[in-house]
Amino acid sequence: MYKTKDTKVKDLKAVEIQNQEEILTRTKRKLDPVQAFEVIKNESKGFSIANVKVQEADELLYMLLNRDSKSASKTPSKENAESKKELSVEEIQIRERERARKIKILKIKLNLGLNTKSA
């Protein structure tokens, strides 16, 4: 039910928050994983009550905890970064072609609609 139920405080304190300055600017407070864990624990009455919003927060905190452990074990290589760039360029080209097709279809539908009304 709750994924962070067995999380230790030292694990929460070890989480490094990226873009903390942006979070501070937008929310006027820093993101504190320990405080987030306490809120989740309190709102769920010790992880015993199911609450959709609290479960969403729990899922996000869990992802934050796992992101740090995954990023520590993996170091991004130059090849991975280049393949991601190429992939994103491919995705953009595919989307452009898809938009062009949709525009053509809309034009055809408009022409058909105009032709049937005038006849």
Side-chain angles (χ1 to χ4, degrees), residues 65-83:
L65 286 164
N66 284 337
R67 179 213 57 187
D68 281 355
S69 64
K70 288 178 184 174
S71 65
S73 63
K74 293 182 181 178
T75 56
S77 67
K78 214 175 197 182
E79 291 176 21
N80 286 344
E82 287 178 17
S83 67

Side-chain angles (χ1 to χ4, degrees), residues 81-104:
E82 287 178 17
S83 67
K84 285 182 183 177
K85 275 187 181 178
E86 290 174 33
L87 209 116
S88 65
V89 169
E90 283 181 45
E91 286 176 347
I92 291 170
Q93 290 173 345
I94 290 169
R95 289 180 184 167
E96 286 175 3
R97 283 186 240 132
E98 185 179 339
R99 283 188 200 114
R101 281 189 214 115
K102 286 180 180 179
I103 291 171
K104 286 180 184 177

Side-chain angles (χ1 to χ4, degrees), residues 4-42:
T4 60
K5 182 178 181 178
D6 299 323
T7 304
K8 308 276 189 276
V9 175
K10 70 175 186 168
D11 295 335
L12 294 167
K13 287 182 179 181
V15 173
E16 187 175 321
I17 305 298
Q18 298 172 350
N19 304 320
Q20 189 71 274
E21 288 77 27
E22 185 177 347
I23 294 169
L24 182 62
T25 303
R26 291 178 185 236
T27 64
K28 308 294 186 241
R29 52 198 303 195
K30 289 185 175 184
L31 177 61
D32 181 12
V34 176
Q35 185 181 19
F37 177 78
E38 290 300 321
V39 169
I40 293 167
K41 185 177 177 181
N42 291 337

